[in-house]
Amino acid sequence: THYYYRVVTGEDISDIAHFMTPPTADSEAPIRLVAMSDMQRDSGNPDVYRSLINDGVIAFLEDTVSDDLAEALNLVLIAGDLVDNGLVFDEWANDFFGPSENLMGSVPFFPVLGNHENNSPYYFEYFHLPENGDPLFEEHWWSTRYSNIVILGLNSNALFRLPDQLAWLDDALDTACGDDTVDFVFAQLHHPYHSELWVDGNTDYTGDVI
């Protein structure tokens, strides 16, 4: 279903935008998603993220799928490090939301925390993620359905490498395996288990997840 909306804050009123609700779980409707991460601003290459969104993702979708971004793309997964320092307000406005505004108005973004977010309250204010993880750590790990897939968001940062998260993951996977309408499970988290590029980020906890 298409929903049209505009945002009003004070005397400022946005243009009219629209989005589409997810297909039902049993529909097995085809979906298209983008997975990305680590778009924090690099002072040596400050416009990479803006170019990726506008000249990469949007241009590709408009050329090959549809001019209607809400129909062309169902969701975006982000495996952490949205900004360089999550405690700095301006970085959210200028380095993350600004460059992605042409896509974000029509397509839902589902991020997880990287180390650069610094567990910032801004992250939890700006995103409303599923509240179906641990009640003590709401929105740190979560699960959502989209058509015939399950998406799991996990927190691999040092303070949250907890047995409770692994137990929750076991339960989430058991539930998915027992549901005949689930055909695929996608999981995202920030730290690698064995990486050639970011060796310092290698984390045994991610091995436990795998």
Side-chain angles (χ1 to χ4, degrees), residues 113-126:
L113 289 151
N115 52 299
H116 279 266
E117 275 70 61
N118 289 312
N119 206 35
S120 168
Y122 291 131
Y123 173 90
F124 297 98
E125 291 172 5
Y126 290 142

Side-chain angles (χ1 to χ4, degrees), residues 20-185:
M20 291 186 67
T21 57
T24 58
D26 59 354
S27 68
E28 296 193 349
I31 70 165
R32 183 176 289 105
L33 63 85
V34 166
M36 64 177 82
S37 73
D38 296 76
M39 62 278 299
Q40 72 265 37
R41 186 177 184 271
D42 177 354
S43 58
N45 300 280
D47 292 320
V48 169
Y49 182 47
R50 186 182 304 275
S51 176
L52 173 69
I53 292 292
N54 293 283
D55 303 327
V57 174
I58 292 177
F60 174 80
L61 292 171
E62 290 179 342
D63 287 345
T64 62
V65 185
S66 171
D67 289 339
D68 187 338
L69 294 176
E71 292 185 354
L73 184 64
N74 298 97
L75 66 155
V76 175
L77 305 181
I78 306 178
D81 283 2
L82 288 66
V83 294
D84 188 57
N85 184 349
L87 300 174
V88 178
F89 170 80
D90 287 347
E91 291 191 10
W92 290 100
N94 300 325
D95 300 342
F96 180 71
F97 288 111
S100 57
E101 62 181 343
N102 292 332
L103 186 63
M104 190 172 281
S106 299
V107 180
F109 280 48
F110 287 89
V112 295
L113 289 151
N115 52 299
H116 279 266
E117 275 70 61
N118 289 312
N119 206 35
S120 168
Y122 291 131
Y123 173 90
F124 297 98
E125 291 172 5
Y126 290 142
F127 295 99
H128 182 66
L129 296 164
E131 296 178 350
N132 54 13
D134 192 310
L136 297 177
F137 303 101
E138 290 288 14
E139 299 182 88
H140 283 274
W141 51 88
W142 46 265
S143 172
T144 192
R145 280 295 301 265
Y146 209 104
S147 186
N148 59 336
I149 71 172
V150 168
I151 301 167
L152 304 176
L154 303 169
N155 188 343
S156 59
N157 287 291
L159 294 177
F160 302 94
R161 295 169 191 164
L162 304 171
D164 289 354
Q165 185 173 188
L166 296 177
W168 175 88
L169 174 61
D170 280 340
D171 289 342
L173 292 174
D174 285 344
T175 299
C177 287
D179 187 338
D180 291 340
T181 66
V182 176
D183 293 314
F184 303 96
V185 176

